[in-house]
Amino acid sequence: MNRRSRVRAGAVALTVALLAAGCTGSGAGGGVRGTPGAAGVRDPLYPRLGNGGYDVSRYALTLSYDPATGRLDGRAEITAKATQDLSAFNLDLTGLTVRGATVDGAPAAVNRAGNELTLRPREDIDDGAEFRATVTYDGVPETVTDSDGSEEGWLRTADGALAVGQPAGSAAWFPGNHHPSDKAAYDITVTVPAGLKAVSNGVLTSERKTADGRTTSVWHAAEPMASYLATLAIGRFDTTTATALGTVPVLTAVDPVVAAETAALRARLPEILEWATENFGPYPFAATGAIVERDDDLGYALETQTRPVFSASSFDTSTLVHELAHQWYGDSVSPATWKDIWLNESFATYAEWLYAEDFEDTPAQKNFERAFANEAAWAFPPAEPPRAEDLFATPVYRRGAMVLHRIRQELGDDAFFEILAGWPAEHRHGTASTEDFTRYVESVAGRDLGKLWDVWLYGDEKPENPTD
Ligand code: ARG
Ligand code: ZN
């Protein structure tokens, strides 16, 4: 190495060291010594999901998609508040290429390591300060295969694409704090080729033609939303509109191929929502509806906020009841961690049991006994799914619903229905844990229910008989 290049190498090494130490620019704004936010929120099942050091209040996504090439062009504007003095912070992003980033209008340094994107602003951000980060990115978004084998993230469909994100797939189409503990409002603006539609969460605030003949739609989801509940369906859709509960706009979008076979049930959405509010309390959102895709496009249904997504064959009465019930349990009250997912699935399953009790002459007791006899329901305690691949296993749904039925048996119908509506009222638009739930139920009961929790919620063994 000659002298000249040695000097250059030394300068590079110094710059790298300064960058690593977080020194570039820090303190320039007045002596704050921030540290980097954590790369995950230590979720017991998904430790790398989410990020520490800030709270997002709003995502504004501006996207355009071309189904012919599969390419997505995106710009994410993230409004957040620092919860520590920050020298840098992370966003979760799976795949895609980042073209640039700013923080409060100034270019930010970008580093990428796998699914972690690190933004280092020129100046540290003070604890408590609100800031705005923008990320421009593009690429062909990935389909994520979960450890249980199901597909999420960005799915290409026969005529477009579908984004679904439980538990981690939303990072495949926008950078963010992708853990349910950080909920935010969303504004999603999407441009698609002529003849196609883009359907997302919340209220459609505008739909207009661009100069080159494409269509831009703007969706506004005002109430806090966990990122796993964000959705985007692009393709040819037949849409129907109606009004539910007197004031709530209903928008259903369905692949034209399955429009006829799903029409009758789509028309019943308002009456099912009416029944749901009688049992679960006021509907938590400003809009409702459904998106129905072909079976080849998606193999399951998901409770995406305000507008659940279905495959055609999953679009039946009990699944519609299930996904609408999730709007209270899961969407308005979201799990504090992924371990708490039984709080979503138990209530949504119990809603199916209640619906069958009210309209199909099947008492919930009958479904409870069926679930009790189902050996698959006893693989693990619902409050303690051992692995990520167990998130959607039978114990979470069936044994979770059995826990609720045991509460009903123990406390009687009056207290049980008080809990059904009281729990989502207590944590409306927030997040809650299993411990929050057991404490809440005991407060309604006015007594300790430790034995019930030990046996039904946390116990490893199947009880001898269903009244234990
Ligand atoms: N939460 C969905 C339901 O309503 C199921 C989602 C399944 N997703 C998955 N990645 N396995 O039951
Ligand atoms: Zn569910």
Side-chain angles (χ1 to χ4, degrees):
M1 198 184 281
N2 62 31
R3 202 189 109 75
R4 237 183 113 78
S5 58
R6 206 165 26 231
V7 170
R8 251 214 336 265
V12 169
L14 180 63
T15 310
V16 168
L18 286 170
L19 269 171
C23 289
T24 43
S26 74
V32 179
R33 273 283 168 271
T35 51
V41 297
R42 298 171 182 245
D43 185 279
L45 295 171
Y46 283 87
R48 301 281 285 177
L49 266 195
N51 303 284
Y54 64 94
D55 251 313
V56 179
S57 58
R58 177 173 179 260
Y59 291 89
L61 309 177
T62 308
L63 310 170
S64 68
Y65 185 66
D66 181 6
T69 59
R71 185 186 148 99
L72 179 75
D73 279 275
R75 180 176 181 279
E77 182 183 289
I78 299 168
T79 307
K81 191 178 198 170
T83 56
Q84 65 176 68
D85 291 333
L86 280 174
S87 59
F89 60 91
N90 276 20
L91 298 167
D92 302 317
L93 182 67
T94 301
L96 302 168
T97 303
V98 173
R99 300 293 175 185
T102 65
V103 173
D104 290 332
V110 173
N111 185 60
R112 185 76 189 272
N115 294 341
E116 296 291 338
L117 177 68
T118 304
L119 263 51
R120 182 178 296 280
R122 278 212 187 139
E123 292 182 11
D124 286 7
I125 303 168
D126 290 357
D127 186 10
E130 185 165 273
F131 63 96
R132 188 166 297 180
T134 66
V135 179
T136 44
Y137 58 97
D138 58 54
V140 176
E142 288 176 16
T143 301
V144 175
T145 303
D146 290 333
S147 45
D148 69 357
S150 55
E151 293 194 328
E152 52 151 346
W154 192 266
L155 313 180
R156 290 181 78 169
T157 61
D159 54 9
L162 174 68
V164 283
Q166 192 184 32
S170 292
W173 59 288
F174 63 96
N177 200 15
H178 289 291
H179 188 270
S181 54
D182 190 0
K183 299 167 70 161
Y186 283 70
D187 288 287
I188 303 181
T189 300
V190 195
T191 301
V192 295
L196 301 187
K197 287 192 172 109
V199 183
S200 185
N201 311 88
V203 177
L204 177 64
T205 58
S206 93
E207 197 167 47
R208 54 178 190 267
K209 284 255 171 291
T210 63
D212 62 0
R214 296 185 298 161
T215 303
T216 299
S217 355
V218 183
W219 295 87
H220 178 61
E223 303 88 3
M225 177 163 83
S227 81
Y228 80 90
L229 298 167
T231 190
L232 177 58
I234 295 167
R236 269 185 292 280
F237 287 105
D238 284 354
T239 56
T240 54
T241 56
T243 302
L245 309 170
T247 53
V248 180
V250 183
L251 187 150
T252 71
V254 49
D255 186 309
V257 172
V258 297
E261 66 190 80
T262 58
L265 185 56
R266 278 186 287 141
R268 290 188 51 219
L269 194 149
E271 92 198 34
I272 295 174
L273 205 62
E274 185 97 34
W275 169 84
T277 62
E278 283 159 16
N279 289 287
F280 313 146
Y283 180 66
F285 303 112
T288 183
I291 297 168
V292 191
E293 298 275 15
R294 307 179 200 192
D295 289 339
D296 293 347
D297 293 338
L298 177 74
Y300 56 90
L302 184 65
E303 63 269 26
T304 42
Q305 194 154 302
T306 67
R307 199 154 288 113
V309 173
F310 302 82
S311 61
S313 60
S314 73
F315 193 64
D316 54 33
T317 306
S318 63
T319 310
L320 180 57
V321 167
H322 181 110
E323 307 308 340
L324 290 178
H326 270 309
Q327 303 302 312
W328 284 259
Y329 313 105
D331 294 13
S332 177
V333 185
S334 304
T337 74
W338 284 114
K339 230 179 95 171
D340 302 308
I341 186 153
W342 81 277
L343 289 170
N344 297 10
E345 301 304 344
S346 61
F347 279 105
T349 302
Y350 204 82
E352 297 176 56
W353 295 6
L354 276 181
Y355 191 89
E357 181 163 288
D358 286 355
F359 298 106
E360 290 156 11
D361 263 344
T362 308
Q365 176 66 23
K366 181 95 198 148
N367 272 307
F368 171 77
E369 284 162 14
R370 279 186 196 142
F372 189 83
N374 178 355
E375 288 314 313
W378 299 97
F380 57 84
E384 285 168 347
R387 302 161 305 179
E389 67 211 74
D390 299 316
L391 273 191
F392 305 104
T394 313
V396 170
Y397 289 73
R398 306 282 142 195
R399 191 169 159 191
M402 281 190 268
V403 173
L404 299 182
H405 194 69
R406 285 293 295 114
I407 295 170
R408 185 179 180 184
Q409 290 176 332
E410 200 72 20
L411 306 186
D413 273 9
D414 286 355
F416 180 72
F417 282 92
E418 184 187 333
I419 288 165
L420 222 47
W423 170 247
E426 180 96 353
H427 294 281
R428 189 175 168 92
H429 298 320
T431 57
S433 66
T434 300
E435 290 68 36
D436 292 326
F437 177 74
T438 53
R439 205 178 317 118
Y440 173 74
V441 173
E442 290 182 347
S443 78
V444 174
R447 64 187 162 96
D448 179 87
L449 294 165
K451 181 162 176 265
L452 200 161
W453 312 136
D454 286 350
V455 173
W456 294 85
L457 201 44
Y458 297 110
D460 285 322
E461 305 294 327
K462 177 176 178 175
E464 200 77 1
N465 68 70
T467 51
D468 278 351

